[in-house]
Amino acid sequence: MERVKVLDKEFVLSISEENILKAVEEVATRINTELEGKNPLMLCVLNGSFMFASDLMKRITIPCEISFVKLSSYQGTGSTGKVKELIGLNEDITGRTIVLLEDIVDTGLTISNTVDQVKSMGPAEVRVATMLFKPDACKKDITLHYVGMNIPNDFIVGYGLDYDGYGRNLRNIYTLAE
Ligand code: IMP
């Protein structure tokens, strides 16, 4: 079994690039069918989603735009607890169909927060496309319209996901070794 070391930790291969790309293809096919004529604006939530966004966009065949946003490291306190502010969105999204591109939904707090902030800007519709979803970790009742793969509640790296900033460049996905 292929192993990699990222900083001080050992990881083992869990999802090959080939299987990742099959899942991306399936998400793209659904978006191409369901959002035809809607001219969607894809919003890639940095940093982790860059690889998923790139592979997905290569497979989108309908007219669409992409923009890149980030959640600030600043944490204010809102009614739901700690809220990270969405930054980098300069477009007017009024009346637009938005597709948020996420690398992974774990507890669901980040995406639920992001969806709320985007909805407050007046789009027609907000959909979520995530490459990975950890159903056993999710604490929020959220709608994930497009999910590449469901995965167990283990820590992973690769395909854009990091361990302490490293490992994002790995083509496959690796799980923390026991
Ligand atoms: P959530 O708010 O708990 O859903 O977490 C979402 C964010 O946590 C993702 O956008 C990732 O940046 C990070 N994250 C969650 N699980 C993992 C993992 O297994 N490896 C690396 N980063 C992760």
Side-chain angles (χ1 to χ4, degrees), residues 6-178:
V6 179
L7 298 175
D8 58 332
K9 299 216 186 301
E10 291 268 346
F11 292 82
V12 291
L13 180 64
S14 71
I15 311 171
S16 67
E17 180 181 30
E18 190 188 353
N19 287 336
I20 293 169
L21 293 178
K22 275 187 204 154
V24 174
E25 184 81 48
E26 284 168 19
V27 170
T29 302
R30 285 191 50 209
I31 290 176
N32 287 331
T33 309
E34 294 175 21
L35 300 185
E36 182 157 27
K38 295 199 176 228
N39 186 28
L41 170 63
M42 313 293 196
L43 284 186
C44 171
V45 186
L46 295 170
N47 291 331
S49 306
F50 71 96
M51 245 186 229
F52 172 50
S54 168
D55 285 332
L56 183 74
M57 285 299 280
K58 287 183 248 177
R59 292 163 176 81
I60 297 292
T61 53
I62 57 171
C64 67
E65 293 178 274
I66 186 166
S67 196
F68 299 85
V69 294
K70 218 174 166 159
L71 293 165
S72 66
S73 49
Y74 163 80
Q75 298 190 328
T77 304
S79 55
T80 50
K82 288 185 172 172
V83 181
K84 290 188 176 182
E85 189 195 350
L86 189 69
I87 52 176
L89 182 54
N90 303 316
E91 285 90 343
D92 177 8
I93 63 164
T94 315
R96 295 290 305 265
T97 293
I98 305 297
V99 182
L100 285 170
L101 305 182
E102 264 291 2
D103 49 356
I104 188 165
V105 174
D106 186 329
T107 62
L109 295 175
T110 306
I111 195 64
S112 131
N113 211 344
T114 311
V115 167
D116 288 349
Q117 291 190 58
V118 173
K119 278 190 174 162
S120 74
M121 298 172 194
E125 186 185 3
V126 181
R127 296 196 181 199
V128 177
T130 184
M131 177 58 214
L132 301 162
F133 177 44
K134 293 181 183 173
D136 297 338
C138 194
K139 295 183 182 139
K140 286 273 182 181
D141 185 16
I142 34 167
T143 305
L144 302 175
H145 304 80
Y146 308 104
V147 176
M149 285 184 192
N150 285 342
I151 58 165
N153 190 9
D154 298 320
F155 188 78
I156 56 165
V157 288
Y159 198 67
L161 288 148
D162 72 305
Y163 163 50
D164 225 357
Y166 288 82
R168 294 193 194 274
N169 50 314
L170 297 164
R171 311 172 77 105
N172 306 303
I173 290 171
Y174 298 83
T175 302
L176 187 60
E178 296 298 313

